[in-house]
Amino acid sequence: NNLMSYAVNEDKSNVNDTVSRENSNLEMGPKYKKKKKNLIQPYSIQPLENGVELGKEALDDLEQLKNIEYLEKITDEKYEVALAHENGDYTYLSSAKTIEEAKKIVNSKSNQKNIENNIIPVIIDEDGLVVYAAEGIAKIVKIKDGQSITATIDIYKSATTSSRYTYISHAYIDDAPIIAESGNRVKVQVNGLTGWIDKSDSEGTNVVVVPINQAVNLSYYKKTSNGTLQHYISSDVKKANSGHFRSVGVAPSFMEVEKKYYSYDGIYFYTNINTLISDLKNNTNNNAVNKSNPYYNYYLYLPGRSKTAFYAKEIDNYIENNTPSDSKLRGQGTYLVAAQNKYGVNANFILGVAMNESAKGT
C-alpha cells in the first residue's frame, strides 16, 4: 500500500519524461537505483582461452560485461515486476513470490498500447538482473560468483532435451532474439540455428534479458557504397557504437546503401527488430524485406566438396603471412592440395578449420 501511494504521488520527472500516465494504463512506482559489480576480468591479464589467444572482438565482448547493470530491489520478495523505459530507467510495479506469478502480472500489463509508448514490463530476480521481458533480446553472458568465466554455453534442440545439440562461446556473441521461454530455458536464434539455452546452469548465468526498448546497439548488416555486405557484430547491446564490422561478401541487390538490416540467420532481413522477432515467434519470414528472395552468402554455402582456385605456393604465402613463425602449418600447401585431390575436400576449407582448431598451427 505504501508503494502504491508512492506511485500516485511520485514526481513524474523521475521516470521517462517522454511517457505520461495519460497515454499509458500503467502506474509508475519508485525508480530503481542501479549498480555495477565490477566483474573480475581474467582476460585483461592473460587474454587466453585454453592457451589460445582470443581475438579483439572476443576481448571487447568480455570487457563489456563490466557494464552489466544490477538493480537494487525495492522489496524482499524473490521477484519484482518493473517497467522498463526507453531512457534506461526502471520503475517498480509489483512483487511476486514465484516467476510464474510474476509472468502473470507481466502478461496482464503487456498490451500494444504500452509497447507503442515504449514501456515494457519486465521481471527482476533476487540478484537484481532482468530475467524476463514482454519484448526482449537475450544478452549472452557467462557470469559466476562475480567473475566472467571461460565456458561455453550449450544449445539444445528442445525445451526438454537433456543432451546438448551444439554450443556457442559467450565471447563471440552478445545478442540473440528471444522466441519463446519454458522454465529455465529460452528459445533463441544464433547465426541461423534455432535452439534452446539455459538462462543459468551449474557454471553460472548465461542470459541477461534486455528490454527491446533499451537495446540501442543490436547486431546488423549493411551494404557499403562499393557493394560489400558488412556484418556489424555488437559487443554490448546497451552501449552505442560498441562492436566490430566484418566484410562477409557481396551484398544482395535488394539492400539500400548504408541502411541497417537486422538478421540472425543471414538469409532473411528486416528493417525493424520487432517485426523480425514477431516473425520468428510465428515461425515465418512473411514480413522480411526479401521474403520471396532469400539471400545465401557465397562463402557460407559453397560446398566443402569443391576445389580451391589457389596453387600450393599461394596457399603457403598466405599461411606465412597469417601465422606465427613457429606454426606447424607453414609449408603445408602442397599437402593441403594433395589431400583435396585425394579426398575431395576443398584445401582452403581444410586450412581454415586447421587454423581455427590449432591456434594457427601452434
Side-chain angles (χ1 to χ4, degrees), residues 100-156:
E100 291 77 17
E101 180 185 345
K103 285 182 179 180
K104 286 181 180 179
I105 299 171
V106 167
N107 294 335
S108 70
K109 299 296 183 181
S110 301
N111 59 44
Q112 193 60 36
K113 185 177 180 181
N114 295 327
I115 293 171
E116 286 175 355
N117 287 324
N118 263 331
I119 304 176
I120 296 178
V122 303
I123 297 174
I124 300 168
D125 71 2
E126 55 193 337
D127 294 323
L129 289 173
V130 177
V131 293
Y132 182 85
E135 296 288 339
I137 285 284
K139 178 178 175 65
I140 309 298
V141 299
K142 201 67 184 181
I143 303 169
K144 185 175 185 180
D145 300 328
Q147 180 174 354
S148 169
I149 64 173
T150 302
T152 55
I153 299 169
D154 293 340
I155 298 181
Y156 302 88

Side-chain angles (χ1 to χ4, degrees), residues 281-332:
K281 288 180 177 179
N282 292 316
N283 195 29
T284 182
N285 303 111
N286 287 343
N287 294 293
V289 172
N290 60 323
K291 64 179 181 179
S292 301
N293 184 27
Y295 168 77
Y296 294 99
N297 183 283
Y298 175 83
Y299 296 103
L300 284 178
Y301 291 93
L302 176 68
R305 292 190 177 278
S306 56
K307 286 193 173 184
T308 179
F310 295 101
Y311 295 108
K313 181 59 179 176
E314 293 174 301
I315 295 175
D316 281 337
N317 289 339
Y318 175 84
I319 296 172
E320 186 170 342
N321 292 329
N322 291 278
T323 61
S325 59
D326 61 342
S327 172
K328 300 292 186 182
L329 291 171
R330 292 197 169 198
Q332 299 299 306

Side-chain angles (χ1 to χ4, degrees), residues 79 95 136 140 144 160 231 257 267 277 281 291 318 326 337-338:
Y79 296 98
S95 61
I140 309 298
K144 185 175 185 180
T160 57
H231 190 190
V257 173
I267 300 173
I277 294 174
K281 288 180 177 179
K291 64 179 181 179
Y318 175 84
D326 61 342
V337 173

Side-chain angles (χ1 to χ4, degrees), residues 69 71 82-86 88-90 118-124 129-139 178 208-218 237-238 273-274 277:
E69 294 176 336
L71 303 175
L83 304 178
H85 300 275
E86 186 178 16
D89 286 344
Y90 292 88
N118 263 331
I119 304 176
I120 296 178
V122 303
I123 297 174
I124 300 168
L129 289 173
V130 177
V131 293
Y132 182 85
E135 296 288 339
I137 285 284
K139 178 178 175 65
I178 297 176
V208 174
V209 179
V210 177
I212 201 68
N213 60 349
Q214 296 182 9
V216 298
N217 188 49
L218 296 169
V237 295
K238 296 191 72 172
I273 188 63
N274 291 304
I277 294 174

